[in-house]
Amino acid sequence: QAKEQGRNQVQIFDAGMNLQTQIQIKKTTELRIALEQGQMELHYQPQFCLRDGSLVGVEALVRWNKPGIGLVYPGDFIPLAETTGIIVPMGKWVLKEACHQLSAWRQAGFNNIRMAVNLSARQLRQPSLASDIAGILQQQEMNADMLELEITESMLMEDMNTAITTMSELNQLGIHLAIDDFGTGYSSLAYLKNFPVRRLKIDKSFVQDLTADTEDTAIISAIINLAHNMGIAVIAEGIENEAQLEYLRQLNCDEGQGYFLARPMPAADMDKLLQESCPLVEKDQ
Ligand code: C2E
Ligand code: MG
Ligand code: MG
Ligand code: MG
């Protein structure tokens, strides 16, 4: 019902409706209009190879550029987008925009980078997901392996059967998957053999205490070794200082991402970064 009202951009607040519900409807309408009016934008955070410092990919992170307010971060609107279903058209927009941007970068000569896009649980349950993505790839003349989809552990466990079906469809397209926030959920590598997983993303909570906490070091070390034995690459997220970076290098972590290396940035700033020499290499000098 609230959904319909949002779509028609009409808000009828009857007297009995509590304030919470009214706010919810208002926010839902706002978010729907934001998407329709092009207020969403993507920022990109670079991902680096920890061995040679090269820029290997970017993760697309959605922001809402709210008129008169400024940037609103996903934590403040993704949950509502999830519960209302707005995440489905929004996620489709994100995929299109990210693939379009990657094509532009590749055409500019930066053809060794991949694009990582976050998927929501709701998107994973859409039967049309794989064919939607196939259409986008075709439109952008993109190879499937240039796209990486990030899915959290808990999303896989929630609805294992649907996840397996959708993911094998995605796999048939040649798309690879990364398990996001790894270590915060079941942290079982056993189920990974059921999925075409290319990469694990170690959650930033483990990276945060890396130098101080020997247990986190042991956990990360075990995850990296086990993943490598299964032919799965590992990327660490949330690298905020040089000590963390050094530890991860010593532990043989393949790739890294974090404020210390580069913050998420608008496409125009990413253009500049791509044209500069690699920031990791510069830091070493
Ligand atoms: P995530 O996929 O785990 O993304 C990593 C988050 O950590 C991002 O926050 C990023 O800006 C932040 N981050 C990066 N480096 C550092 C660091 O060194 N330190 C710290 N403390 N944080 C760092 P952001 O952009 O606010 O996104 C939050 C979450 O929202 C994402 O977590 C992802 O789950 C979700 N999200 C973002 N964009 C999308 C999207 O397009 N679709 C969907 N479904 N979810 C999205
Ligand atoms: Mg992610
Ligand atoms: Mg993550
Ligand atoms: Mg995270």
Side-chain angles (χ1 to χ4, degrees):
Q1 202 187 0
K3 223 176 182 176
E4 280 317 305
Q5 289 173 353
R7 187 159 292 134
N8 299 330
Q9 301 178 16
V10 175
Q11 296 163 38
I12 304 155
F13 300 135
D14 73 67
M17 204 181 269
N18 67 36
L19 187 63
Q20 201 67 30
T21 311
Q22 290 183 25
I23 291 172
Q24 197 80 345
I25 291 171
K26 188 171 179 288
K27 281 186 165 176
T28 305
T29 307
E30 233 182 6
L31 191 56
R32 204 179 292 282
I33 292 171
L35 180 62
E36 282 165 8
Q37 296 189 343
Q39 293 171 17
M40 311 310 295
E41 58 183 63
L42 293 183
H43 283 195
Y44 301 91
Q45 186 175 35
Q47 302 177 322
F48 297 96
C49 169
L50 295 188
R51 273 176 288 276
D52 64 10
S54 60
L55 204 165
V56 287
V58 293
E59 177 177 7
L61 295 159
V62 70
R63 275 96 181 82
W64 174 7
N65 198 346
K66 201 170 174 181
I69 303 276
L71 283 190
V72 182
Y73 289 82
D76 290 334
F77 62 86
I78 292 276
L80 182 65
E82 276 273 349
T83 54
T84 55
I86 296 176
I87 194 70
V88 173
M90 186 181 287
K92 221 175 267 179
W93 177 82
V94 168
L95 276 162
K96 268 188 203 160
E97 179 68 16
C99 290
H100 180 73
Q101 183 59 70
L102 188 70
S103 286
W105 282 328
R106 295 182 73 90
Q107 270 161 34
F110 309 111
N111 43 23
N112 279 324
I113 54 169
R114 57 169 198 264
M115 176 65 69
V117 175
N118 294 284
L119 278 194
S120 80
R122 193 110 171 202
Q123 277 176 287
L124 200 60
R125 284 198 298 269
Q126 291 284 306
S128 63
L129 181 70
S131 63
D132 288 348
I133 292 178
I136 293 171
L137 292 174
Q138 203 168 18
Q139 207 171 21
Q140 299 301 332
E141 294 177 15
M142 244 175 87
N143 285 336
D145 66 358
M146 298 168 192
L147 180 64
E148 190 161 281
L149 299 176
E150 298 194 359
I151 295 168
T152 62
E153 272 184 295
S154 52
M155 280 166 57
L156 292 184
M157 308 308 286
E158 254 170 43
D159 191 351
M160 188 69 104
N161 288 334
T162 313
I164 288 178
T165 307
T166 308
M167 285 170 66
S168 65
E169 284 172 9
L170 292 170
N171 190 40
Q172 271 162 25
L173 290 175
I175 292 167
H176 290 259
L177 298 157
I179 307 296
D180 208 347
D181 303 344
F182 191 81
T184 58
Y186 291 78
S187 310
S188 154
L189 283 161
Y191 71 86
L192 291 182
K193 64 180 193 292
N194 297 323
F195 298 108
V197 172
R198 168 153 66 180
R199 206 176 315 281
L200 292 186
K201 296 195 78 172
I202 297 178
D203 191 67
K204 50 179 172 283
S205 60
F206 290 100
V207 176
Q208 229 89 89
D209 302 320
L210 199 50
T211 55
D213 188 333
T214 52
E215 271 180 2
D216 278 350
T217 308
I219 290 168
I220 291 186
S221 177
I223 289 174
I224 292 171
N225 288 328
L226 202 49
H228 283 171
N229 286 334
M230 295 176 76
I232 298 170
V234 181
I235 182 168
E237 65 174 18
I239 302 174
E240 292 182 351
N241 59 53
E242 185 150 28
Q244 293 163 349
L245 176 65
E246 275 317 309
Y247 262 87
L248 288 161
R249 275 177 163 158
Q250 279 167 32
L251 294 174
N252 228 358
C253 186
D254 304 286
E255 297 177 0
Q257 186 181 349
Y259 295 163
F260 181 68
L261 303 172
R263 286 184 173 257
M265 62 187 92
D269 291 344
M270 195 63 213
D271 286 341
K272 284 179 215 143
L273 184 72
L274 284 167
Q275 282 161 36
E276 287 166 8
S277 58
C278 177
L280 254 190
V281 174
E282 272 172 17
K283 281 204 177 82
D284 281 348
Q285 285 166 353

